[in-house]
Amino acid sequence: ESYTLPLRGALHVVYGGCSDDHFEAFRGWLLTRGRPTFERVLAEPDSLVDVLVEGEMAESEQMLYVGALAIEALTGEFPEGPAFVGEAGEGEFDPTDATEQQRRYPRLWAKYAHMPRPRDALPEED
């Protein structure tokens, strides 16, 4: 459910970018916030501004494996295959476009767009 371009676009505002790995780890973190928060952020990605903790990297890669580890505990075998399938709505809008970010995520934009962000210091991914 959380594999959406609007949610990924919100992370572009907060972190100044959003790699595939970070998007997956963020989605794991979002699960740790509980169902009401998860559903609210999916319905309105700009509401992420109410959930993020300043200075905290919103990532929990471990959450992505909870289901698979439970299956392994029951069956003795770790499930094969992709953990996530689907399209993130590529082409709906450009999540890196500043004008589009400001229009879609006004609260996130006001708080994060002009701040130094942790991702800015990371080297470019291959």
Side-chain angles (χ1 to χ4, degrees):
E1 287 179 65
S2 63
Y3 195 76
T4 69
L5 187 59
L7 187 57
R8 191 169 190 157
L11 293 184
H12 275 275
V13 175
V14 174
Y15 295 112
C18 183
S19 69
D20 291 340
D21 288 344
H22 180 238
F23 188 45
E24 285 190 6
F26 166 79
R27 291 168 50 227
W29 174 88
L30 187 56
L31 290 171
T32 70
R33 304 296 107 177
R35 182 169 286 285
T37 298
F38 179 84
E39 290 176 350
R40 185 179 75 230
V41 170
L42 288 188
E44 184 187 345
D46 199 34
S47 71
L48 188 57
V49 74
D50 301 323
V51 182
L52 293 172
V53 176
E54 192 151 337
E56 175 185 312
M57 208 53 176
E59 295 182 338
S60 181
E61 186 176 358
Q62 300 85 351
M63 278 300 293
L64 302 175
Y65 303 103
V66 169
L69 292 171
I71 291 170
E72 181 181 39
L74 291 172
T75 67
E77 293 184 30
F78 194 84
E80 299 278 333
F84 305 101
V85 294
E87 295 295 321
E90 281 81 2
E92 291 175 22
F93 68 96
D94 179 359
T96 65
D97 180 88
T99 302
E100 193 68 21
Q101 288 175 347
Q102 192 171 11
R103 184 181 75 75
R104 288 178 176 269
Y105 315 105
R107 295 173 61 210
L108 286 169
W109 180 267
K111 183 169 183 176
Y112 292 101
H114 303 291
M115 291 177 61
R117 293 166 266 181
R119 291 275 174 215
D120 292 343
L122 297 177
E124 292 293 317
E125 293 188 34
D126 293 335

